[in-house]
Amino acid sequence: MKYFLSIVGCVLLLSACASAEKIVMYDEQSDKAREIKQQLEKTKEVEKANVVEIDDEILVAVQTKPLNSFKERKTAKKLQDKLEEKWPNYDILVSSDFKLYWETSKLIAEKDRQRVSEKVKELKKLAKEES
Amino acid sequence: MKQQQYKTIEQQITPATPYVLNAFKAFVVGGLICVIGQAIAFFYMIFFDFTEKTVGNPTVATMIFISMILTGFGLYRKLGQFAGAGSAVPVTGFGNAVISAAIEHKTEGLVLGVGSNMFKLAGSVIVFGTVSAFFVALIKTLLVMMGVLQW
């Protein structure tokens, strides 16, 4: 039993460490998404991120490294300012909220672009919610 | 027996307080309560439309509800005896302080018993929290008005 548990533990540990892609894009062909990915890779506080770029909406959900989580909102704000400077005509939201990260992770596999667009709008509205 | 003598004898007889063990117990149990709270927060974020910003309220409400049930069944007392500050410092300890006072004074009536005694212990905490929050908000408002900080 102990032997079995130790093997299961090792497999779980290894599989958790070997997550393939840390910064995931919805539309891999898009130049903008790729540029955003490069920008995210340069930011050393960011551990994982989802980039959803559809029509004129950009939603970036970032998760920071544990020690940087105290200033995760500042990191997101800085990234947002940079992206807004680059593409002023786009509706951009960079968020460090776990809810947005969770929902965008589900969106990455979605094929229907219309649904993705609707969901992105919905999430942006949700992120503004205060109460 | 002189006062000094009494003091030395008393000190010899009193068992030593296990500070390190108590701190360890408080650390573990307090941490566990926080883990449960975090799990509830994740539950609300994953299955309902709450963000990290808004998930605090339902999580606290649920934690207090759980502590209310545990207090009613007399289980929180046992936890408090074992963990000390570990169970008193999180919001569940605050709930326990209100609810146990309410249960204790139930026989004296709803208004004069429960109503007037419920906040015996927690009332000062609420007053202190509200007043200090008011002053912190006032200071921040002034700083924002002067242009030192931003919202």
Side-chain angles (χ1 to χ4, degrees):
Chain A
M1 189 65 191
K2 253 185 188 172
Y3 183 69
F4 173 74
L5 276 181
S6 60
I7 288 179
V8 170
C10 283
V11 169
L12 280 178
L13 269 177
L14 286 175
S15 59
C17 291
S19 58
E21 192 76 55
K22 298 219 158 168
I23 296 170
V24 189
M25 297 174 285
Y26 173 65
D27 189 358
E28 304 233 340
Q29 312 303 321
S30 155
D31 292 336
K32 248 178 245 95
R34 262 188 244 158
E35 249 179 89
I36 296 171
K37 189 182 175 184
Q38 280 171 358
Q39 183 77 49
L40 287 169
E41 276 165 352
K42 265 189 261 166
T43 319
K44 60 179 188 304
E45 287 98 350
V46 173
E47 195 189 15
K48 295 181 282 184
N50 289 330
V51 182
V52 181
E53 188 255 318
I54 192 154
D55 305 333
D56 58 346
E57 308 255 0
I58 297 175
L59 176 59
V60 184
V62 292
Q63 290 285 287
T64 51
K65 287 169 188 159
L67 278 179
N68 290 315
S69 60
F70 292 107
K71 44 181 185 178
E72 60 178 17
R73 283 191 195 176
K74 254 186 201 166
T75 312
K77 183 86 183 55
K78 251 191 240 167
L79 276 168
Q80 167 130 11
D81 289 345
K82 268 184 202 166
L83 295 185
E84 272 175 352
E85 206 177 291
K86 225 177 219 175
W87 299 293
N89 299 328
Y90 281 76
D91 187 7
I92 301 170
L93 178 70
V94 183
S95 174
S96 58
D97 206 297
F98 175 77
K99 174 73 179 173
L100 294 197
Y101 182 76
W102 180 264
E103 292 293 331
T104 45
S105 301
K106 282 196 272 182
L107 276 188
I108 297 291
E110 178 71 49
K111 291 272 180 340
D112 186 3
R113 285 181 78 88
Q114 180 64 30
R115 233 188 84 81
V116 173
S117 177
E118 276 168 18
K119 188 79 187 168
V120 165
K121 276 187 190 132
E122 199 181 295
L123 284 176
K124 280 185 179 173
K125 210 170 141 197
L126 190 67
K128 279 195 194 125
E129 187 78 45
E130 292 278 349
S131 57
Chain B
M1 197 189 284
K2 282 188 184 141
Q3 211 175 357
Q4 197 60 41
Q5 263 180 317
Y6 176 79
K7 239 182 189 174
T8 45
I9 294 171
E10 189 242 318
Q11 270 168 8
Q12 278 166 2
I13 295 171
T14 316
T17 318
Y19 288 113
V20 178
L21 185 68
N22 283 353
F24 180 73
K25 280 181 187 169
F27 176 78
V28 171
V29 175
L32 273 178
I33 291 173
C34 295
V35 167
I36 294 169
Q38 189 66 46
I40 291 171
F42 276 135
F43 168 77
Y44 279 124
M45 276 194 278
I46 289 169
F47 295 107
F48 297 93
D49 275 351
F50 287 106
T51 56
E52 263 179 29
K53 219 192 288 175
T54 56
V55 81
N57 296 341
T59 307
V60 169
T62 313
M63 288 306 280
I64 290 179
F65 183 75
I66 293 170
S67 96
M68 181 180 86
I69 288 171
L70 289 181
T71 308
F73 286 121
L75 295 171
Y76 207 86
R77 193 185 47 189
K78 286 181 191 164
L79 187 74
Q81 251 163 15
F82 174 76
S87 65
V89 174
V91 75
T92 48
F94 182 76
N96 174 55
V98 176
I99 293 147
S100 58
I103 293 172
E104 195 183 329
H105 294 279
K106 204 181 70 183
T107 48
E108 292 165 35
L110 275 179
V111 178
L112 287 176
V114 175
S116 66
N117 291 300
M118 201 154 99
F119 295 109
K120 240 181 195 173
L121 219 85
S124 50
V125 182
I126 296 174
V127 171
F128 191 85
T130 315
V131 173
S132 53
F134 172 74
F135 280 109
V136 169
L138 197 69
I139 292 167
K140 182 149 187 193
T141 312
L142 287 176
L143 286 176
V144 170
M145 277 167 79
M146 284 190 288
V148 182
L149 281 179
Q150 276 184 327
W151 283 115

